[in-house]
C-alpha cells in the first residue's frame, strides 16, 4: 500500500544517523530554551531558526520539528512550574498543572504531560500519513475564495472556544488583523502605517509581538502586588517525581479523548492547537463525575489538554503541507524557514519532494520519542527550578527575552517594540482582553488579505463568489453556525461557568 | 501605533452611568486605535474599479474594529461589569527602562555590559530584591548568556563595548 511505502520512505530518511542526531539536538535545545520562563514555543523556534540555516533542507526541517516539540514541552514545563504559559496552547495547562505544583505534585504533572504528548504524537503521526495524500487532492480544489472562507472559519473557531467574552475575542482578532497590515502592501509595495520607520517596512514580527504581549506583559503583571502569594506557595514542598499507578489510570482515558479531539481540531487552520487544548479541558470537565476537582489540581486537567495540544500541533502540519496555510504562529515561522530553503509549502511539495515531506512526518514521531527519553529523567531538574525565587527569576526572563528578540533581526528597534507590546499586553490583561486571538489575527491577516483580493479580482469584484462556490459556502455556513451557537445564551452561560470556576 | 492604548488608567473620573468601566474604557481605547489606524492609512490608495488598493483592507479592518470597540463600550454602559484593575507603576516602569536600555546599549556597549545592567535595572522593579544576591546572579547570568548566545547558538552580536575593542 502507498501509505506504508511512504512511511518507509520517511523513516528511511529520518533514521539516517545524521538526521537522528539533528532531531535529538533539536529536541534537546528546544527543551532547554523553551523551559526558560517567558520564552515560549514561538520565541524558541524564532530564536533557534538561524542555527538551521546552514543545514540541507531535509535536515533543517527535521531539526526544526525537534526544536518545535522540545519547545512545546519546555513551554508546558514553565506553565506547570511558574504559571507562565509560554504560548496560548499551554494556557489551560496552567489551570490544573500549577495547582498540582502547589500541592507538591509538580513531578507527576510534568511526567503525565510528557507521556500524554508522546501518546498523542504517535496517533497523530499515523493520521498525518493516512490523511496527507487525500487532503492534498482536496487542497487542489481550493481557490482564493475557499482559502479566505477557511481562514474565517478558523478565526471564528478560535473565538468560540476561547474563554471570556466572544465579542472581546473577535475584537482582539480584528486588532491583530489590523496590526498585520503594518508594512509593505503585497501587491503595490506601498508602505502602510509604517511612518517611515525602516524596521517597520517588513511589518511587525510575530515573535516581537508575541514576546511582548505574553512574555513581558506576564512579568509586569506578576510584579503587581497580590501576585506574590501564588509564587511563594509553590516553593514549599515537592513530593514524588513520578506519577503513581492511580495517576496513570486516571489520566489514560483523558489522554485518549484529548488525542482524538486534538487530532480533529488540529487539521482546521486557525489555531487548531489552541482550540484543541481549550476544548479538551472543557470536555473533560463536562464528563467528569466530580467537576469541582478541576482547577484544584486534577491530573486529567493536565493530561487531556497536553495530549490534545500535541496531537493538534502535529496534525496542524496537514494544512501547512497540503494547503500551505500556516495554522498558527509557529507554523508561520516554519513557512519562513522553508522559504529560506527555497521550498514553497503547498500541494506541490508533497508531489515533488516526497522524501522531504515523509522524512519530516517520520521525524515528528522520532522527535516525540526523543522528548520522552530526554525529559522523563530531567523532570527532577525542572522541578528544582521552582526553588529559584521570583525576584531573581524575572530579571533573568527580561534579559533572555531581550536578547532573544534582538537576535532575530539584530534590530534594537524590535526590542523597544516588544517592550511597547508588553505594556499593551498589560493593559489588555487589565481590561480582560485575551492576547491569543490577537496573535492569531496577526498571523492570518496577510494571507486573508491576499486571498480576499485575489478572489475578488478573479470574480471581477463580485462579492457573491464566497457563497456561490459550494466549498466556500459550506465553510462560511459552518462559521456562521458556530458563531450563532456560541452567542446563544444557554451555551454561553455554561461555557463561562467552566472557566470562571477554574480560574478563581 | 501600539503605544496608544498604554495610557494611564481612568479611575473614578467616569460618570455614574458607566456601569462596567473595564469594558467601557477598553472599548473606547479600541475605537481610538481604529481611528488612529484610519488616519494612518488615509494616504493609501483605495478601490479603483473592482480592484483593491493598498489602503482598502486596512481601512476595512479599522472600520470593523471601530464598530466592535463601539459595541464593547456600549456594553460597558448598559451592563454591570468589573472596575478597572489597579495598575502598579514600579514593575512596568523598571522593566520598560531595562528593555529600552538594552535596546540602546546592545550596539555600542555590547552584550556583556547591556545584559548585566539590564538585569540590575529590571531588578529595581521589585521591592523584594536583595542587592548582593542580584549582583552575583546577574553576573553569572551575563556570563552564561555571553557563552550561550554568540558561541553555542552562533548568533552574531557584539560582546564588549566598541571603544574597548578598537
Amino acid at each position: 500500500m502507498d501509505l506504508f511505502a511512504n512511511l518507509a520512505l520517511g523513516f528511511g530518511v529520518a533514521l539516517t544517523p545524521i538526521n537522528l542526531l539533528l532531531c535529538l539536538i533539536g529536541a534537546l535545545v528546544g527543551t532547554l530554551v523553551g523551559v526558560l520562563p517567558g520564552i515560549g514555543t514561538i520565541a524558541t523556534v524564532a530564536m533557534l531558526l538561524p542555527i538551521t540555516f546552514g543545514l540541507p533542507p531535509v535536515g533543517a526541517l527535521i531539526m526544526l520539528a525537534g526544536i518545535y516539540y522540545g519547545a512545546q514541552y519546555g513551554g508546558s514545563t514553565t506553565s506547570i512550574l511558574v504559571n507562565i504559559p509560554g504560548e496560548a496552547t499551554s494556557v489551560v495547562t496552567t489551570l490544573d498543572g500549577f495547582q498540582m505544583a502547589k500541592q507538591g505534585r509538580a513531578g507527576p504533572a510534568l511526567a503525565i504531560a510528557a507521556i500524554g504528548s508522546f501518546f498523542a504524537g504517535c496517533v497523530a503521526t499515523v493520521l498525518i500519513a493516512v490523511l496527507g495524500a487525500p487532503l492534498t487532492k482536496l487542497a487542489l480544489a481550493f481557490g482564493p475564495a475557499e482559502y479566505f472562507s477557511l481562514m474565517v472559519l478558523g478565526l471564528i473557531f478560535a473565538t468560540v472556544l476561547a474563554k471570556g467574552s466572544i465579542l472581546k475575542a473577535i475584537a482582539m482578532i480584528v486588532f491583530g488583523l489590523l496590526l498585520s497590515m503594518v508594512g509593505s502592501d503585497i501587491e503595490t509595495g506601498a508602505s502602510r502605517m509604517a511612518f517611515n520607520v525602516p524596521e517597520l517596512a517588513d511589518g511587525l514580527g510575530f515573535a516581537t509581538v508575541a514576546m511582548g504581549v505574553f512574555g513581558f506583559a506576564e512579568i509586569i503583571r506578576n510584579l503587581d502586588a497580590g501576585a506574590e502569594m501564588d509564587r511563594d506557595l509553590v516553593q514549599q514542598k515537592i513530593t514524588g517525581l513520578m506519577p503513581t499507578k492511580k495517576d496513570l489510570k486516571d489520566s489514560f482515558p483523558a489522554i485518549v479523548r484529548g488525542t482524538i479531539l486534538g487530532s480533529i481540531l488540529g487539521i482546521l487552520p486557525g489555531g487548531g492547537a489552541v482550540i484543541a487544548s481549550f476544548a479538551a479541558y472543557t470536555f473533560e470537565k463536562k464528563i467528569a463525575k466530580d467537576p469541582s476537582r478541576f482547577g484544584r489540581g486534577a491530573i486529567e486537567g493536565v493530561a487531556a489538554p497536553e495530549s490534545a495540544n500535541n496531537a493538534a500541533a502535529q496534525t496542524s502540519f496537514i494544512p501547512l503541507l497540503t494547503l500551505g496555510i500556516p495554522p498558527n504562529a509557529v507554523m508561520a515561522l516554519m513557512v519562513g524557514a522553508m522559504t529560506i530553503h527555497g521550498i514553497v509549502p503547498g500541494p506541490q511539495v508533497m508531489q515533488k519532494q516526497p522524501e522531504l515531506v515523509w522524512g519530516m512526518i517520520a521525524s515528528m514521531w522520532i522527535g516525540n520519542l526523543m522528548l520522552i527519553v530526554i525529559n522523563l529523567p530531567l523532570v527532577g531538574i525542572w522541578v528544582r527550578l521552582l526553588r529559584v525565587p521570583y525576584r531573581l527569576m524575572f530579571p533573568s526572563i527580561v534579559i533572555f527575552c531581550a536578547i532573544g528578540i534582538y537576535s532575530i533581526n539584530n534590530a534594537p528597534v524590535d526590542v523597544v517594540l516588544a517592550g511597547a507590546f508588553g505594556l499593551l499586553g498589560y493593559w489588555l490583561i487589565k481590561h480582560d482582553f485575551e492576547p491569543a486571538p490577537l496573535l492569531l489575527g496577526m498571523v492570518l491577516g496577510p494571507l486573508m488579505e491576499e486571498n480576499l483580493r485575489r478572489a475578488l479580482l478573479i470574480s471581477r469584484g463580485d462579492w457573491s463568489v464566497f457563497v456561490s462556490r459550494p466549498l466556500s459556502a459550506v465553510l462560511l455556513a459552518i462559521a456562521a453556525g458556530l458563531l450563532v451557537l456560541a452567542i446563544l445564551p444557554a451555551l454561553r452561560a455554561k461555557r463561562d461557568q467552566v472557566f470562571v470556576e477554574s480560574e478563581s | 501605533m501600539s503605544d496608544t492604548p498604554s495610557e494611564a488608567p481612568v479611575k473614578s473620573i467616569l460618570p455614574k452611568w458607566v456601569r462596567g468601566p473595564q469594558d467601557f474604557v477598553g472599548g473606547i481605547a479600541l475605537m481610538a486605535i481604529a481611528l488612529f489606524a484610519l488616519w494612518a492609512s488615509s494616504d493609501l490608495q483605495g478601490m479603483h474599479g473592482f480592484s483593491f488598493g493598498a489602503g482598502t483592507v486596512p481601512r476595512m479592518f479599522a472600520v470593523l474594529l471601530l464598530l466592535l470597540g463601539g459595541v464593547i463600550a456600549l456594553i460597558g454602559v448598559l451592563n454591570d461589569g468589573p472596575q478597572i484593575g489597579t495598575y502598579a507603576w514600579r514593575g512596568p516602569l523598571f522593566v520598560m527602562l531595562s528593555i529600552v536600555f538594552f535596546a540602546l546599549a546592545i550596539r555600542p556597549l555590547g552584550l556583556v555590559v547591556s545584559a548585566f545592567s539590564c538585569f540590575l535595572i529590571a531588578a529595581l522593579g521589585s521591592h523584594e530584591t536583595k542587592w548582593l544576591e542580584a549582583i552575583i546572579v546577574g553576573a553569572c547570568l551575563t556570563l552564561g548568556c555571553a557563552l550561550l548566545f554568540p558561541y553555542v547558538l552562533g548568533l552574531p552580536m557584539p560582546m564588549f563595548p566598541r571603544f574597548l575593542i578598537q
Side-chain angles (χ1 to χ4, degrees), chain A residues 168 192 391 410 430-431, chain B residues 5 22-23 54 86 107 133:
Chain A
K168 283 179 155 182
R192 304 197 284 192
R391 61 172 187 275
N410 277 333
K430 291 289 176 191
H431 285 270
Chain B
Q22 193 192 60
D23 282 355
T86 47
R107 285 257 171 92
E133 184 191 67

Side-chain angles (χ1 to χ4, degrees), chain A residues 470-481:
Chain A
L471 209 53
S472 164
V474 169
L475 291 168
L476 283 181
I478 299 174

Side-chain angles (χ1 to χ4, degrees), chain A residues 25 50 127 141 157 174 179 191 193 201 247-248 322 364 366 383 439:
Chain A
I25 296 175
L127 207 66
F157 225 122
V174 176
L179 286 177
S191 159
M193 299 189 270
D247 287 338
L248 287 175
T322 55
M364 285 179 209
I366 296 170
V383 169
L439 216 59

Side-chain angles (χ1 to χ4, degrees), chain A residues 257-258 261 277-288 294 304 498:
Chain A
R257 286 188 291 261
L261 209 55
S277 57
F278 278 107
Y281 188 83
T282 317
F283 187 66
E284 280 308 311
K285 199 174 168 182
K286 236 170 224 163
I287 62 165
F294 283 81
V498 168

